[in-house]
Amino acid sequence: MMLRYALTRFVSLFLSLAVASVVIFLCIEIVPGDPASAMLGINASPETLAALRAELGLDQPKLLRYFDWVTGMLRGDLGISYTYRAPVAEIVADRIWVSFPLAVFALILSTAIAFPAGIWAARRRGSFGDTALMGLTQLGVAIPNFWFAVILVLIFAINLRWFSAGGFVGWDAGVFAALKSLTLPAIALALPQAAILTRVMRSSVIETLDADFMRTARAKGLSAAQAVRRHALRNALIPVLTIIGLQFSFLLAGGIIIENVFFLPGLGRLIFQAIAQRDLIVVESVVMLLVFAVIVVTFLVDLAYAWVDPRLRQRS
């Protein structure tokens, strides 16, 4: 039953990727402007522009360019950057080692804050502490993460001088030094996500605490903490897993503002630079990779659903 459920979700994943590739290619292609003109400037001669367009493959029919792009990605060939004149796969490989650890770091911080806070608030619903915590989470949801980033830089980089204001030292400098470079960006990304996840965790646990099986567990002699740990958490995880999956996708694909605030050489900053330079092949390939990551995470979350709640496997 689990295999059938996984195969069904895999087919959905494949179809989603196929549709996404078409949408991304069409959206990039209809953007006004010519990459060759952006590279050579407005004073370039028509002959030079035509030669560069032929070299970059921009003179080919769009359908042929789409199939070349897709088949190249299947082989691991993302094309050659118009600006850097280097394989896009190599550029992405260098940048992913900033964006991926940053997303994981931020997700760990977000989860570490939200799980205990949400459970604590749920067990004390209606109290002053619960009300105060929910007020803080509402503030965390409302304030954008770049504002948190600026505040963190002012306090911990400029005033206290505990961290650098930006940049990435690289993994060659050591794991501790690299993680220290990512700490402030990770906190800036994690705080708004922790606020969202805390509210979801609280609501989910409260709903579970009111279920009949929880009253039965208490009637059998379990303490409130034991009943929450043994029975409530597993049943409350399904909506929480949804948010965690979406948050990781957002943290990986949506860190462009934070990466620019902290001058991190990640995928978000790469997309920003490629858009400004009209480097379409970089934009297409990186966006497609990020969409692939989002869809794969969603697929893994679906499998986690089936593991947490076996009833979902029976419905497929």
Side-chain angles (χ1 to χ4, degrees):
M1 190 67 71
M2 184 64 182
L3 180 60
R4 179 183 175 186
Y5 181 86
L7 288 175
T8 302
R9 293 299 181 269
F10 182 79
V11 171
S12 176
L13 180 150
F14 178 79
L15 293 176
S16 299
L17 286 175
V19 173
S21 68
V22 174
V23 173
I24 291 171
F25 184 82
L26 291 178
C27 289
I28 297 298
E29 289 300 317
I30 64 175
V31 173
D34 180 20
S37 299
M39 294 172 64
L40 296 177
I42 58 176
N43 295 322
S45 65
E47 295 78 10
T48 305
L49 285 173
L52 181 58
R53 287 180 58 84
E55 180 184 351
L56 299 177
L58 298 175
D59 59 340
Q60 300 293 326
K62 286 184 171 54
L63 185 61
L64 179 59
R65 288 169 55 195
Y66 169 76
F67 280 110
D68 287 343
W69 174 57
V70 171
T71 54
M73 285 194 298
L74 294 176
R75 299 192 307 268
D77 179 11
L78 304 182
I80 302 297
S81 167
Y82 301 159
T83 303
Y84 300 101
R85 307 304 295 160
V88 177
E90 293 182 4
I91 300 173
V92 171
D94 291 336
R95 304 296 184 102
I96 194 66
W97 287 107
V98 177
S99 294
F100 184 78
L102 175 62
V104 173
F105 194 1
L107 186 65
I108 291 174
L109 291 176
S110 172
T111 305
I113 295 170
F115 269 50
I119 296 170
W120 184 88
R123 294 184 59 189
R124 294 164 178 79
R125 53 181 165 173
S127 67
F128 173 78
D130 175 37
T131 303
L133 183 59
M134 288 302 99
L136 288 176
T137 58
Q138 187 62 48
L139 188 64
V141 172
I143 297 177
N145 53 21
F146 67 83
W147 186 86
F148 283 121
V150 173
I151 297 300
L152 291 172
V153 169
L154 288 175
I155 296 174
F156 295 103
I158 296 177
N159 292 330
L160 297 177
R161 300 182 182 276
W162 291 355
F163 299 91
S164 63
F168 182 64
V169 298
W171 295 103
D172 294 339
V175 175
F176 177 79
L179 290 179
K180 186 177 180 181
S181 300
L182 296 177
T183 298
L184 291 186
I187 294 174
L189 282 171
L191 289 177
Q193 304 308 312
I196 297 171
L197 191 57
T198 298
R199 298 180 70 87
V200 175
M201 188 71 186
R202 174 185 178 274
S203 300
S204 184
V205 172
I206 286 176
E207 184 178 351
T208 306
L209 290 176
D210 292 334
D212 292 338
F213 67 85
M214 288 297 294
R215 286 188 286 271
T216 303
R218 293 298 306 278
K220 289 181 177 180
L222 293 180
S223 66
Q226 289 174 330
V228 169
R229 186 173 60 254
R230 296 183 186 180
H231 300 284
L233 286 182
R234 185 182 180 94
N235 289 275
L237 276 180
I238 291 181
V240 176
L241 286 174
T242 303
I243 300 301
I244 290 176
L246 292 174
Q247 284 188 347
F248 180 75
S249 303
F250 167 78
L251 293 171
L252 184 60
I256 179 171
I257 296 177
I258 294 299
E259 288 185 3
N260 277 278
V261 170
F262 288 96
F263 301 101
L264 296 176
L267 293 178
R269 189 167 174 80
L270 176 63
I271 293 177
F272 180 81
Q273 294 170 337
I275 292 174
Q277 297 162 347
R278 294 288 302 163
D279 201 341
L280 299 185
I281 188 64
V282 172
V283 178
E284 289 175 349
S285 299
V286 175
V287 171
M288 189 63 208
L289 286 175
L290 293 176
V291 169
F292 174 76
V294 170
I295 294 176
V296 169
V297 168
T298 305
F299 172 72
L300 295 176
V301 169
D302 285 341
L303 295 184
Y305 284 169
W307 176 74
V308 172
D309 189 352
R311 293 172 298 179
L312 296 176
R313 299 197 294 262
Q314 298 172 0
R315 297 173 188 171
S316 61

